[in-house]
Amino acid sequence: MGNEYMNVSGGHKSSKTFKQQSNLITDIKALVKSGVLIANALPVFAGFWLALHFTDASFGEFWGSFLLTMAGSTLVMAGALILNNWYDSDIDTVMDRTKHRPTVTGSFSLKTVLRIGIGATIAGFILLLFTTWETVFYTWIGWFTYVVLYTMWSKRRYTLNTVIGSISGAVTPLIGWSAVDSAIHIVPLTLFLLLFIWQIPHTFAIAIRKHDEYKAAGVKMLPVVHGMDVTKRQMTIYVATLLPLPFLLPALGVPFMVIVTILNAAWLVLSIRGLFTDEHRKWAYWNFLYSVNYLTIVFMLSILVTLPIFD
């Protein structure tokens, strides 16, 4: 009987420990917004990879820079996302999609979150100091735009917060490329422009789906201030401006240009359909899904077409 009791007790303790560890991992993923972090790391990698390709450099020459760039930029981006959670903890309590973040539930104190955010940012920049000044500069632009200009200044005041915040995500291919060579090049600059434009309809789709939550939280998103019809028209215009961009990238080959053009045209059709429907949230949901897959395909494709087997 005693042995049976001990085994059951030990099992309960083991189960409790596992649950605590699982909750901790979940909280950390929410704190750094793991999905957003991964989505931003992909263009950094693509930028680095493409720079190697277009400068005829070997990975062996730059493996150290690669590790420093990926680790440093990821830490800085994580720091920015953590600081966003810290600053927005008050409005996150109002929104259903954010009320389970550890800054709301109390799993981490706000003081601890602030320290982690600052620490991750500093650690990331220290690593990046061993790359190039241009890499540090683009990373700083991304961090400053997201934390100061977007999170602390414009998000609660102006509908232009979406446009301002888009700069931070758009610099990611420049960060990766500049670790190898100057990013003043048509390929990374076009990818910057593509990412900048992409983020606006992507974010508007989220804002339409979460309209009531943003309204309750007092966040000045475009559909909250100017309504659904204005937002859908602007989304369509931004998606349309993506159409010429593949033709600025003939260096990536005809298959890349054709596939991305088809993706752009399909997104435009989906956006135009939204102008003629009252099912705003359903339409925005499909736009959101399309935009996420669009980004993944474009950057994975940019890597794929430059693999040696396609030379």
Side-chain angles (χ1 to χ4, degrees):
M1 177 69 74
N3 289 336
E4 290 176 2
Y5 174 80
M6 289 299 293
N7 289 336
V8 171
S9 177
H12 284 316
K13 288 181 180 179
S14 177
S15 176
K16 184 177 180 180
T17 301
F18 177 79
K19 185 176 181 180
Q20 289 174 337
Q21 292 173 342
S22 178
N23 290 339
L24 178 61
I25 293 171
T26 300
D27 284 338
I28 292 173
K29 288 170 65 177
L31 194 63
V32 301
K33 302 182 182 180
S34 57
V36 177
L37 190 61
I38 294 170
N40 279 277
L42 175 60
V44 175
F45 174 81
F48 191 96
W49 176 268
L50 291 171
L52 291 177
H53 173 78
F54 284 100
T55 59
D56 292 322
S58 69
F59 182 78
E61 297 176 68
F62 287 92
W63 69 270
S65 294
F66 172 76
L67 294 177
L68 289 167
T69 301
M70 294 305 300
S73 62
T74 300
L75 279 170
V76 172
M77 289 186 291
L81 292 165
I82 291 168
L83 291 172
N84 173 270
N85 273 336
W86 166 76
Y87 192 83
D88 281 349
S89 60
D90 59 334
I91 62 175
D92 283 347
T93 61
V94 180
M95 303 178 66
D96 286 338
R97 75 185 188 95
T98 58
K99 66 183 181 182
H100 298 296
R101 288 177 178 170
T103 46
V104 177
T105 62
S107 297
F108 294 119
S109 70
L110 290 181
K111 185 180 291 185
T112 298
V113 171
L114 177 60
R115 289 172 177 169
I116 294 173
I118 294 174
T121 299
I122 293 173
F125 275 116
I126 289 174
L127 293 179
L128 292 174
L129 287 173
F130 293 94
T131 58
T132 70
W133 71 265
E134 202 173 343
T135 299
V136 174
F137 173 73
Y138 294 134
T139 308
W140 167 254
I141 291 297
W143 184 93
F144 181 79
T145 301
Y146 186 76
V147 175
V148 179
L149 298 184
Y150 170 70
T151 300
M152 297 181 177
W153 176 58
S154 65
K155 184 175 180 178
R156 309 186 193 203
R157 293 180 176 88
Y158 311 108
T159 58
L160 280 176
N161 68 63
T162 302
V163 176
I164 293 169
S166 294
I167 297 171
S168 58
V171 299
T172 46
L174 302 181
I175 292 170
W177 186 293
S178 61
V180 176
D181 194 29
S182 173
I184 308 304
H185 185 286
I186 188 63
V187 172
L189 291 175
T190 301
L191 293 177
F192 166 86
L193 188 57
L194 182 146
L195 264 172
F196 173 75
I197 295 171
W198 168 86
Q199 285 178 96
I200 299 172
H202 169 78
T203 305
F204 283 167
I206 297 173
I208 289 175
R209 291 178 61 214
K210 304 298 181 180
H211 170 275
D212 295 344
E213 294 181 39
Y214 280 117
K215 184 176 181 180
V219 180
K220 303 296 183 182
M221 302 302 290
L222 188 66
V224 173
V225 178
H226 294 292
M228 300 294 187
D229 291 339
V230 170
T231 305
K232 290 193 290 185
R233 286 198 297 271
Q234 288 205 21
M235 286 177 67
T236 303
I237 292 170
Y238 279 111
V239 171
T241 60
L242 290 170
L243 289 173
L245 297 189
F247 301 98
L248 298 177
L249 297 169
L252 291 180
V254 173
F256 178 88
M257 295 169 60
V258 170
I259 293 172
V260 177
T261 298
I262 292 172
L263 290 174
N264 289 340
W267 196 1
L268 182 59
V269 171
L270 178 60
S271 299
I272 291 173
R273 287 184 61 185
L275 303 176
F276 304 96
T277 180
D278 293 327
E279 295 182 340
H280 308 305
R281 287 178 173 81
K282 182 178 179 181
W283 170 80
Y285 171 75
W286 287 111
N287 257 276
F288 170 77
L289 283 183
Y290 191 95
S291 65
V292 171
N293 287 285
Y294 171 93
L295 184 70
T296 304
I297 292 170
V298 168
F299 279 93
M300 291 299 293
L301 186 62
S302 71
I303 297 168
L304 179 64
V305 298
T306 54
L307 289 173
I309 60 173
F310 291 99
D311 287 345

